[in-house]
Amino acid sequence: MTDNTSNGTMADIMVGVDGSDESFAALRWALREAQLTGQRVNAVYGWTRSWDMGSEPDSDEAWERTRQSIVEKLQSWVDEAVAGLDLTTDNVTLTSVHASGASALLQIGHDAQQLVVGRRSLGRVARWFTGSFSASLVQEAKVPVTVVRIFNDEDESMQDAIANALTPGNAPVGFARPDTEENHRPVVVGVDGSNTSRHALRFAIHEASVHHLPLHVLFCWQLKDLGTIAGYENAIAPIDEGQKRAEDVLAAMVESEAQTILDAGVEIRSHAFHISAAKGLISASRYASHLVVGSRGLSGFDAHFLGSVSKQLVNLAECTLTVVH
């Protein structure tokens, strides 16, 4: 796992906090991570006049009082987020910025080890920390972005209701997530052989090592992802040849990180699946504690209308997601 400092100490974890349950979940995740790694956590609140602050300050003294009020509010949110939990806030820095939530995190977190925000799967996400905000942050950030997902009982009940409504007969069916405890589920990383996915693999190795979890490396492929397969330069290769090619790419990628894996002491398993990346990784997220991918999708006009893989995962992944740049 590479760090963002010159002395070998990992850079801070920047987490967006805005008083919502989603941001509290993100803060708790960041604090647990920091306790394991020795990092500091910077809790960032980006505020604008849309916040209920009354009239705009008209002097330096009034602005200072406003800033102090915001810092006190931020402290109260941190205290509320960790109430009753075995989490220390000794390594937390509180930062308030007169800017939108996205701008605040991007400005302050340009040298962070990662940016962390929260989201709820099917409900609204308060204030700036919405699904669209998360997707925008993933596109614009230059450092890894972790999106901590809240999976609530309503999500499961609605998925079960849909499954039962569309299944013939009267026998009940279930669509709920597996009963495996979150802290026993593996870390999963999606790779494709690119340099960006190598960075994602290293990040995932670090996460698996820190949390003492197995790591599953997934290459979800389609023929168009494999380039030219030897012997089929002028023809479409059969699926079994594509599978062999995908397994070779995957094996070479894992082998290139063999020393990192050995040093981390991580149990690793590799899988190549003939399925689109978005569909395969969304399926994998149901059984993972943490999904890691590289940002190598579409951008701009194409991303808006077609959707990059990372954008789809931000919206649909069923576990905490990190997008590595």
Side-chain angles (χ1 to χ4, degrees):
M1 175 67 180
T2 56
D3 60 65
N4 292 349
T5 62
S6 58
N7 61 6
T9 302
M10 291 180 67
D12 291 356
I13 300 172
M14 299 283 174
V15 55
V17 180
D18 68 350
S20 67
D21 290 342
E22 294 79 15
S23 72
F24 288 175
L27 177 59
R28 289 191 288 268
W29 186 93
L31 288 171
R32 291 189 182 100
E33 190 79 3
Q35 284 185 339
L36 294 172
T37 63
Q39 293 170 267
R40 291 194 60 80
V41 173
N42 192 338
V44 178
Y45 175 44
W47 58 275
T48 65
R49 287 189 59 199
S50 62
W51 187 62
D52 187 15
M53 301 177 345
S55 58
E56 182 176 1
D58 56 4
S59 67
D60 291 343
E61 292 77 10
W63 272 112
E64 184 56 35
R65 287 194 297 271
T66 297
R67 292 188 185 96
Q68 183 59 38
S69 175
I70 292 171
V71 169
E72 291 172 357
K73 173 59 71 174
L74 182 53
Q75 181 64 63
S76 73
W77 286 339
V78 172
D79 293 341
E80 183 178 351
V82 302
L85 300 176
D86 185 22
L87 291 173
T88 178
T89 59
D90 294 343
N91 63 343
V92 177
T93 300
L94 306 179
T95 303
S96 64
V97 182
H98 188 187
S100 69
S103 295
L105 282 176
L106 291 170
Q107 288 172 17
I108 298 175
H110 60 89
D111 287 328
Q113 185 260 337
Q114 60 180 304
L115 308 179
V116 182
V117 293
R119 66 169 280 262
R120 189 183 301 274
S121 65
L122 298 180
R124 69 169 183 84
V125 180
R127 299 181 179 91
W128 300 290
F129 299 102
T130 63
S132 59
F133 165 75
S134 299
S136 174
L137 191 65
V138 164
Q139 281 190 347
E140 296 180 36
K142 304 301 182 184
V143 299
V145 176
T146 295
V147 182
V148 178
R149 182 184 184 280
I150 295 178
F151 195 88
N152 58 25
D153 293 338
E154 181 182 359
D155 299 336
E156 289 197 358
S157 63
M158 288 300 99
Q159 289 173 339
D160 279 346
I162 291 170
N164 281 283
L166 300 182
T167 301
N170 297 320
V173 297
F175 192 72
R177 299 181 81 204
D179 291 332
T180 309
E181 292 184 14
E182 194 76 22
N183 59 0
H184 291 159
R185 294 175 182 168
V187 175
V188 175
V189 57
V191 301
D192 60 7
S194 67
N195 286 332
T196 305
S197 68
R198 291 180 191 277
H199 292 305
L201 176 56
R202 293 176 195 133
F203 189 101
I205 292 169
H206 168 78
E207 282 299 306
S209 177
V210 165
H211 294 276
H212 305 291
L213 293 171
L215 174 62
H216 288 250
V217 185
L218 270 60
F219 182 10
C220 298
W221 64 273
Q222 296 179 302
L223 286 173
K224 62 182 177 62
D225 303 319
L226 301 177
T228 302
I229 297 177
Y232 295 92
E233 290 81 1
N234 298 310
I236 297 175
I239 297 302
D240 58 347
E241 290 296 326
Q243 179 69 20
K244 292 177 183 177
R245 170 64 175 162
E247 291 174 354
D248 289 343
V249 171
L250 181 57
M253 189 167 188
V254 172
E255 178 61 28
S256 71
E257 298 298 328
Q259 189 60 54
T260 303
I261 295 168
L262 181 64
D263 292 343
V266 172
E267 174 192 343
I268 189 167
R269 300 179 185 177
S270 301
H271 315 273
F273 296 111
H274 181 219
I275 189 172
S276 69
K279 185 179 291 186
L281 293 172
I282 288 168
S283 297
S285 72
R286 173 171 286 267
Y287 306 96
S289 64
H290 194 156
L291 176 63
V292 182
V293 296
S295 176
R296 191 171 172 262
L298 304 172
S299 60
F301 185 87
D302 287 339
H304 179 75
F305 286 98
L306 300 177
S308 66
V309 170
S310 58
K311 182 178 180 180
Q312 293 179 69
L313 291 172
V314 166
N315 292 327
L316 299 174
E318 296 193 21
C319 67
T320 292
L321 167 73
T322 296
V323 180
V324 178
H325 297 79

